[in-house]
Amino acid sequence: MRLIKGFIAVSILLGVVYSCSPLKKIESGKSVAMASYAEHNYLQAYEQLTALITSYQSAKLKVPVDILLKTADCAAQLKKYDVASDYFSQSLADSITMTGVKGYIENSKAGGNIDILASALNQYAIFLNENGEGRYLAKELFATALRTNDQESILKVYPDLEKPNEEESMAYLLALEKANKNKEALTFCNHLIKENPDYNRAKEWKAIYYYNLAEEGYKREMAKYNKNKNYTAYVYLKRDLKKVSANYRVAKGLFEDIRKQYPSEKKYIKYLKNIYLRLEMKREASAMEKLL
């Protein structure tokens, strides 16, 4: 009987100790915070979770990864991107999860921390690729290359993009041009227009490309003729200008097509006026002059 009474007394004592212990406070705080999080009350949940993390740390206990991830998510929902990024980073120091990696990347990006973002993409590239997120990685790498104007990375990463949009495609086209890969740029532009007839920026690029090509040819042939004006030189000039005119006509068709959608855009009117003059289309050139 004494043994039973002693056991009961110890149990009661342990219960009292537990009820006053940090563990009881932590379990109680966790239950309340999880309820707030489940109800999407992110501000309240964030305050409760950060207090909970402090309780873990005060008790010299390891903060569970799940708590860190939920705190990070609450911070992100509240647009506290730097704070969210920090909590996601803390979670990754313990366990690398897809939620943690993507959260770290997304919030570093949203917070404008480009250096941290670039570092994170590099650090977790293998993890993302090995877990079927290669396309996500390529999208983020390309976006970072655009932000930092990294032309080399734009050229490198673009082929890995899935269904690139107009902005991404144009960035790649301009990167090819800046790298003096003009033939590749033109081939790519032709394909882009064929696949996406509504990409007016690509049409404009092609139109300007052929316009500049024609202008260079025109000025070159005229310079040759002006050095030695005679009948034979004139015959050659007319012949060579026919080749130049073909490039003007390509530019003309493209500019006319774009101008249907932007009839008041002066840069297209100016281009067309010059092209019409070169092609001796005086009436059309005069009409463009009036619009200017």
Side-chain angles (χ1 to χ4, degrees):
M1 190 69 178
R2 287 180 183 176
L3 185 61
I4 293 172
K5 287 182 178 179
F7 178 77
I8 292 171
V10 170
S11 297
I12 292 171
L13 179 61
L14 288 174
V16 171
V17 171
Y18 176 75
S19 66
C20 299
S21 73
L23 288 176
K24 177 65 175 178
K25 182 180 179 182
I26 287 171
E27 286 302 316
S28 175
K30 182 178 179 181
S31 178
V32 171
M34 291 300 100
S36 296
Y37 183 81
E39 293 172 0
H40 306 294
N41 190 341
Y42 294 114
L43 178 58
Q44 184 171 292
Y46 175 74
E47 292 171 348
Q48 292 166 344
L49 285 165
T50 52
L52 179 62
I53 289 172
T54 299
S55 296
Y56 273 108
Q57 293 168 339
S58 297
K60 300 188 184 312
L61 295 172
K62 178 182 173 183
V63 182
V65 170
D66 183 54
I67 297 298
L68 291 170
L69 289 174
K70 283 182 169 56
T71 308
D73 183 39
C74 287
Q77 296 291 341
L78 298 171
K79 297 183 173 16
K80 297 176 180 285
Y81 300 121
D82 289 344
V83 175
S85 180
D86 182 58
Y87 278 118
F88 279 121
S89 179
Q90 288 182 47
S91 79
L92 292 170
D94 181 89
S95 178
I96 299 176
T97 64
M98 190 60 71
T99 300
V101 170
K102 284 191 173 182
Y104 187 37
I105 289 170
E106 295 294 337
N107 284 277
S108 296
K109 178 173 63 177
N113 299 313
I114 302 302
D115 291 339
I116 293 176
L117 173 59
S119 176
L121 290 169
N122 180 65
Q123 183 177 358
Y124 298 108
I126 294 175
F127 173 80
L128 289 166
N129 276 319
E130 288 181 347
N131 287 275
E133 293 291 341
R135 288 170 177 171
Y136 170 82
L137 174 64
K139 195 83 172 175
E140 293 303 323
L141 284 171
F142 194 82
T144 302
L146 286 181
R147 288 190 191 91
T148 57
N149 198 29
D150 185 346
Q151 300 296 306
E152 185 177 342
S153 292
I154 288 172
L155 291 174
K156 180 181 178 182
V157 179
Y158 181 85
D160 296 329
L161 293 179
E162 180 188 25
K163 297 180 180 179
N165 58 34
E166 184 176 8
E167 181 185 0
E168 291 164 340
S169 298
M170 287 306 301
Y172 180 67
L173 175 60
L174 295 175
L176 286 171
E177 183 181 30
K178 288 176 183 176
N180 293 318
K181 297 182 178 181
N182 292 325
K183 288 185 178 180
E184 289 181 43
L186 182 59
T187 299
F188 175 75
C189 188
N190 286 332
H191 173 75
L192 199 59
I193 294 170
K194 182 179 179 181
E195 295 294 318
N196 306 277
D198 58 331
Y199 278 14
N200 286 320
R201 289 173 62 193
K203 288 181 183 177
E204 180 181 321
W205 184 93
K206 182 178 176 180
I208 293 173
Y209 176 89
Y210 274 99
Y211 175 82
N212 290 336
L213 198 63
E215 280 287 282
E216 290 168 10
Y218 179 85
K219 290 174 183 177
R220 183 177 58 250
E221 297 305 329
M222 289 303 298
K224 280 165 53 179
Y225 172 70
N226 287 328
K227 284 181 181 179
N228 183 24
K229 290 184 179 181
N230 56 55
Y231 179 75
T232 302
Y234 179 74
V235 171
Y236 284 126
L237 174 66
K238 295 293 285 184
R239 181 199 64 187
D240 294 333
L241 285 182
K242 285 183 180 179
K243 298 175 185 177
V244 172
S245 295
N247 292 329
Y248 278 124
R249 288 192 182 92
V250 173
K252 168 181 166 294
L254 289 162
F255 279 128
E256 287 175 339
D257 186 39
I258 300 170
R259 192 172 166 268
K260 289 175 184 176
Q261 297 181 54
Y262 308 99
S264 301
E265 180 56 60
K266 288 193 174 182
K267 66 179 176 180
Y268 302 136
I269 295 172
K270 288 178 181 179
Y271 274 118
L272 284 169
K273 173 195 166 186
N274 292 340
I275 291 170
Y276 291 147
L277 287 172
R278 295 292 194 232
L279 295 175
E280 298 181 353
M281 299 171 66
K282 295 180 181 179
R283 186 178 63 182
E284 289 83 352
S286 178
M288 294 299 104
E289 178 63 33
K290 289 178 182 178
L291 291 173
L292 291 172

